[in-house]
Amino acid sequence: MLPYMIKRLVSLALSLVAASVVIFVVIEVVPGDPASFMLGLNAEPDTVAALRDSLGLNASAPVRYWQWITGLLQGEFGTSYTYKVPVRELIAERIWISLPLTIYALVLSTLIAFPVGVIAASRRNSPSDVSIMGVTQLGIAIPNFWFAMLLVLLFAINLRWFSAGGFPGWDEGFFACIKALTLPAIALALPQASILARVMRSSLLDTLGEDFVRTARAKGLNRRQALWRHALRNALIPVLTIIGLQFSFLLAGAIIIENVFFLPGIGRLVFQGITQRDLIVVKSVIFLLVFAVILVTFIVDMTYAIADPRLRRSRS
């Protein structure tokens, strides 16, 4: 197990280095002069020069990259050009909206997908199975922002059960905040639930064809008993992997949903940084999101190896 973990840690470190280089090159090197880009075409030369000096842009690209990476390792993300506050304060303030939203959406996705996938697998090729697969295919095809607007139109404008957007703040109470996050969580959860339900069905069908399930059936268990007692637990391994990957996807991919519902989360912070040309915010937050995705992937890989010793031995 230890050699496998070391190998995965080395892979994680190399992925982070590669991601940091790509982010730095795309944001600070490819556009040309970052100061001119941030101030716009009509900026005065002395203003551009002052900004270049304050941001340390007069140094070479390798030196700036090293300063940025060493600052990240020390927890220094720089100071926002737009908000005039440290970026880490902006992240610390907004992560408590994006993280609960991600967890909420993941819980909803799992609660929907598990029973749906089991029902589809237990009734293979039946009308209910075909209907479920059709609905899940539709859920995958529909963009979540379009579905979010439908939710706002129905539940916020017509029925007035929820607000159309905004976040009251955790000081207003837990249930008020959860209510504000419900529609965004549903909009994020349904496409992921469709994917997870199809994976659950496929994994369960593969497991039902294994020898140990046929042996259980030969001993007198009916199909339902063999499914719940033997097949389901073994079918959960790839499903748990998808759940872990969905967590990182939801955390990093909620930019559009947070803007639809005017949620002041990490995704909206990235969007505001792009529109306001605040490259310091964009660079740091994108790297943080990439780090979260890679870290969650590493944790999922470790969990998968622990749950399935065959995988661990083969990779080692």
Side-chain angles (χ1 to χ4, degrees):
M1 182 65 180
L2 183 59
Y4 176 71
M5 181 178 295
I6 294 175
K7 180 180 178 181
R8 296 304 302 157
L9 284 173
V10 171
S11 176
L12 182 147
L14 293 176
S15 299
L16 286 176
V17 171
S20 65
V21 171
V22 172
I23 292 171
F24 181 83
V25 170
V26 170
I27 293 180
E28 286 206 11
V29 177
V30 172
D33 184 7
S36 300
F37 176 78
M38 293 171 68
L39 293 174
L41 298 177
N42 299 324
E44 297 293 333
D46 55 345
T47 306
V48 175
L51 181 60
R52 285 181 57 85
D53 184 66
S54 64
L55 297 180
L57 297 176
N58 294 320
S60 63
V63 172
R64 300 202 313 267
Y65 171 77
W66 177 252
Q67 292 174 344
W68 176 53
I69 289 299
T70 53
L72 290 177
L73 294 176
Q74 298 172 4
E76 295 293 336
F77 294 91
T79 302
S80 169
Y81 172 74
T82 303
Y83 300 100
K84 308 300 181 184
V85 296
V87 177
R88 64 181 180 182
E89 293 184 8
L90 295 174
I91 295 173
E93 177 184 354
R94 301 194 180 211
I95 192 65
W96 294 111
I97 298 174
S98 295
L99 188 59
L101 175 61
T102 300
I103 296 174
Y104 194 3
L106 189 64
V107 170
L108 290 178
S109 172
T110 305
L111 291 177
I112 295 171
F114 266 55
V116 169
V118 171
I119 291 173
S122 62
R123 302 177 182 179
R124 184 179 184 181
N125 297 327
S126 67
S128 58
D129 179 31
V130 174
S131 301
I132 288 174
M133 289 299 98
V135 172
T136 56
Q137 185 63 46
L138 186 63
I140 296 173
I142 295 178
N144 56 9
F145 67 88
W146 184 78
F147 187 69
M149 291 186 286
L150 292 181
L151 292 176
V152 171
L153 181 64
L154 177 60
F155 294 103
I157 297 178
N158 292 334
L159 298 178
R160 300 181 182 274
W161 290 355
F162 299 91
S163 62
F167 188 75
W170 293 104
D171 295 338
E172 297 296 324
F174 177 78
F175 291 103
C177 294
I178 291 298
K179 183 177 180 181
L181 294 177
T182 297
L183 291 185
I186 293 174
L188 284 171
L190 287 183
Q192 302 305 313
S194 300
I195 297 173
L196 191 60
R198 296 177 73 91
V199 172
M200 183 71 198
R201 175 186 180 273
S202 178
S203 178
L204 197 52
L205 288 177
D206 290 341
T207 307
L208 287 172
E210 295 289 340
D211 292 339
F212 69 91
V213 177
R214 287 196 290 266
T215 302
R217 292 292 305 276
K219 290 182 177 180
L221 296 182
N222 57 35
R223 183 177 177 84
R224 181 182 298 274
Q225 291 172 332
L227 187 149
W228 287 102
R229 295 183 185 180
H230 299 278
L232 184 59
R233 182 167 51 184
N234 290 274
L236 287 179
I237 294 178
V239 175
L240 293 176
T241 303
I242 298 298
I243 291 175
L245 297 177
Q246 283 187 346
F247 176 82
S248 58
F249 173 80
L250 290 170
L251 181 61
I255 297 177
I256 298 178
I257 295 299
E258 288 185 0
N259 280 278
V260 170
F261 290 97
F262 300 100
L263 295 175
I266 294 293
R268 186 163 176 81
L269 178 62
V270 173
F271 179 79
Q272 290 172 336
I274 293 173
T275 57
Q276 297 165 353
R277 300 185 179 184
D278 194 340
L279 298 183
I280 302 171
V281 171
V282 174
K283 180 174 61 176
S284 300
V285 176
I286 288 180
F287 180 80
L288 181 64
L289 293 176
V290 170
F291 172 76
V293 171
I294 295 176
L295 180 62
V296 170
T297 304
F298 170 78
I299 295 173
V300 169
D301 210 357
M302 289 295 100
T303 306
Y304 199 2
I306 293 173
D308 191 350
R310 296 171 302 174
L311 178 66
R312 183 171 66 249
R313 287 194 296 267
S314 63
R315 290 190 178 183
S316 299

